[in-house]
Amino acid sequence: MKKLFGFLVSLFFLIIISPLRSAENVFYTSNSIGMKLNEIVESEINNYEWVVKEISENEIVNETLYSNGTEVWHLESVSKDQSRDIQIVYPDGLVYTGKYRDNLLLHESWEYPDAQIKSVNYQYFSGELLKKTVFDGEFLSETTNYVRKSDGSLHLRNTNYHINNFSEILIIGSTSNISKTALGRKGDFSLIKSYQNGLQITEKWVSGKKITNDREMQTTSSGELVISEKTPEGRNITSYYAENGNLTQQIIENKDSTETILHSYDKNDLLISKTIMTQDSKTVIVYSYNAEGLPETENIYEDGMLIKKITFLETGKREDIYKGGSLYLIITYEEDGQTIKESKLAEE
């Protein structure tokens, strides 16, 4: 149903801007959403999968969409002054109704002859959408309010889902270039912070108290985002994100040790290596991908020596274990990647 609603919105925009013609049948090549592409003569309609037939007279437009000669829907649009009413009828009896004024959608509904499925009301101020009210059948299901800045740009969107008493608040473009979304009920919610580089940070709150790690965030002059957090176990984690959102470095400080993790990427932003360094060791993981960008192999080195190679197969994966630089053990896994199918020593 969501795809149907999105299709109807696109279709009605096309209808609004379509010019009126005199009363005659006109045929067009089309597509599955009813766009009028190229005008054709009636004798050519069997040459195309999708065809729209249009007849216009004064302020009334009728259109029928066909797929291989079978009617998909019939549309009637009636214009008067600054208003326009649109009705689309489907072969199974579903009827869509849309009411416009000054090219603004005020009301739309979907119903069968014996039951209303959904209806939506829209309210505007100076041409800007302020409120949307949605009914499922006769019951109020959701209400969305829009708050705008002085320049008309959207600042806040608040949606209340009345059936399950759930709310969603989206705050767009704060002074720190962060968009915030709150999902939940009263004091129990998740706060999602979205940064311009695509990074998202989620905070979980229960009974009004934040239960996730404490975080501090700052942006460097080069556009790099630095996030510092302290876990309940007392670890300090500092993460560095490039302007494009890629995690480039992490420093994890425990009570008596420090671990530094470096990430490298290729031109397609695929992770190609991860280097993990402590006071006592250095582990490097090298990743490769196939032509479709799917993982192909992982080679794991400790202090410069290969210790494991993982190969991803269509039917699972294979692990080659090395000792002293020589292949020692081969393990093959089932498709779930966890269940061992076969294990054998290399010299067998």
Side-chain angles (χ1 to χ4, degrees), residues 166 180-193 201-215:
F166 188 82
K180 301 177 182 179
T181 303
L183 302 170
R185 303 176 181 85
K186 296 182 180 179
D188 299 339
F189 62 92
S190 294
L191 179 64
I192 304 170
K193 298 180 180 179
I201 302 294
T202 301
E203 297 176 358
K204 188 171 180 62
W205 295 67
V206 176
S207 300
K209 182 179 180 180
K210 185 169 68 172
I211 62 172
T212 48
N213 301 344
D214 291 329
R215 292 185 175 94

Side-chain angles (χ1 to χ4, degrees), residues 300-309 320-329 346-347:
I300 304 173
Y301 300 85
E302 281 190 0
D303 297 324
M305 182 172 292
L306 180 64
I307 64 168
K308 181 188 293 188
K309 179 179 181 179
D320 295 348
I321 311 298
Y322 292 79
K323 277 189 175 182
S326 300
L327 181 60
Y328 172 72
L329 179 66
E347 57 267 18

Side-chain angles (χ1 to χ4, degrees), residues 139-186:
F139 300 97
L140 176 64
S141 62
E142 65 184 73
T143 303
T144 302
N145 292 284
Y146 302 85
V147 177
R148 300 182 180 274
K149 300 178 183 179
S150 58
D151 61 1
S153 61
L154 185 62
H155 171 61
L156 184 148
R157 184 189 70 205
N158 182 10
T159 301
N160 292 305
Y161 301 93
H162 301 282
I163 294 178
N164 56 9
N165 191 30
F166 188 82
S167 66
E168 175 185 7
I169 301 174
L170 171 63
I171 303 173
I172 299 174
S174 64
T175 55
S176 56
N177 295 319
I178 304 172
S179 296
K180 301 177 182 179
T181 303
L183 302 170
R185 303 176 181 85
K186 296 182 180 179

Side-chain angles (χ1 to χ4, degrees), residues 242-259:
E243 191 173 6
N244 63 3
N246 288 339
L247 175 63
T248 58
Q249 181 179 351
Q250 271 190 322
I251 299 175
I252 303 172
E253 297 177 285
N254 298 295
K255 183 177 180 181
D256 50 11
S257 66
T258 299
E259 182 178 84

Side-chain angles (χ1 to χ4, degrees), residues 16-283:
I16 288 174
I17 63 175
S18 299
L20 298 179
R21 305 178 60 125
S22 58
E24 60 178 347
N25 286 335
V26 184
F27 296 87
Y28 298 89
T29 60
S30 185
N31 53 26
S32 61
I33 65 172
M35 295 176 64
K36 290 177 285 187
L37 302 177
N38 299 299
E39 186 172 340
I40 57 175
V41 297
E42 185 172 3
S43 60
E44 298 178 313
I45 61 177
N46 293 328
N47 298 334
Y48 301 93
E49 178 181 3
W50 299 95
V51 173
V52 167
K53 181 179 74 173
E54 177 192 280
I55 182 170
S56 303
E57 185 173 5
N58 297 324
E59 296 177 328
I60 301 177
V61 178
N62 282 277
E63 293 182 2
T64 305
L65 175 65
Y66 296 94
S67 174
N68 293 319
T70 301
E71 181 178 323
V72 178
W73 48 251
H74 177 78
L75 177 150
E76 181 179 79
S77 173
V78 180
S79 301
K80 185 177 181 180
D81 298 327
Q82 301 300 314
S83 299
R84 182 181 291 264
D85 292 343
I86 295 174
Q87 185 178 81
I88 299 181
V89 180
Y90 294 85
D92 65 353
L94 177 66
V95 178
Y96 171 87
T97 301
K99 295 183 178 293
Y100 293 81
R101 184 169 181 82
D102 297 325
N103 285 341
L104 297 175
L105 179 60
L106 303 179
H107 174 81
E108 56 184 345
S109 64
W110 295 260
E111 58 185 60
Y112 286 100
D114 57 349
Q116 177 172 285
I117 301 175
K118 183 174 182 176
S119 64
V120 186
N121 296 319
Y122 301 88
Q123 297 178 24
Y124 302 84
F125 179 77
S126 297
E128 301 288 354
L129 181 62
L130 291 184
K131 186 175 183 180
K132 181 177 77 172
T133 307
V134 180
F135 291 85
D136 287 333
E138 299 179 353
F139 300 97
L140 176 64
S141 62
E142 65 184 73
T143 303
T144 302
N145 292 284
Y146 302 85
V147 177
R148 300 182 180 274
K149 300 178 183 179
S150 58
D151 61 1
S153 61
L154 185 62
H155 171 61
L156 184 148
R157 184 189 70 205
N158 182 10
T159 301
N160 292 305
Y161 301 93
H162 301 282
I163 294 178
N164 56 9
N165 191 30
F166 188 82
S167 66
E168 175 185 7
I169 301 174
L170 171 63
I171 303 173
I172 299 174
S174 64
T175 55
S176 56
N177 295 319
I178 304 172
S179 296
K180 301 177 182 179
T181 303
L183 302 170
R185 303 176 181 85
K186 296 182 180 179
D188 299 339
F189 62 92
S190 294
L191 179 64
I192 304 170
K193 298 180 180 179
S194 301
Y195 293 79
Q196 286 186 324
N197 63 4
L199 178 68
Q200 288 188 334
I201 302 294
T202 301
E203 297 176 358
K204 188 171 180 62
W205 295 67
V206 176
S207 300
K209 182 179 180 180
K210 185 169 68 172
I211 62 172
T212 48
N213 301 344
D214 291 329
R215 292 185 175 94
E216 293 183 0
M217 307 172 200
Q218 60 182 0
T219 304
T220 66
S221 57
S222 62
E224 187 178 44
L225 180 67
V226 182
I227 300 177
S228 302
E229 58 183 310
K230 185 172 184 178
T231 70
E233 298 79 22
R235 293 192 302 169
N236 293 311
I237 303 175
T238 305
S239 304
Y240 298 82
Y241 293 86
E243 191 173 6
N244 63 3
N246 288 339
L247 175 63
T248 58
Q249 181 179 351
Q250 271 190 322
I251 299 175
I252 303 172
E253 297 177 285
N254 298 295
K255 183 177 180 181
D256 50 11
S257 66
T258 299
E259 182 178 84
T260 300
I261 306 174
L262 304 176
H263 296 79
S264 296
Y265 302 83
D266 65 10
K267 62 181 181 180
N268 297 315
D269 290 328
L270 293 174
L271 179 65
I272 56 174
S273 71
K274 180 191 294 186
T275 303
I276 305 168
M277 296 179 291
T278 68
Q279 292 93 328
D280 304 318
S281 66
K282 178 180 179 181
T283 301

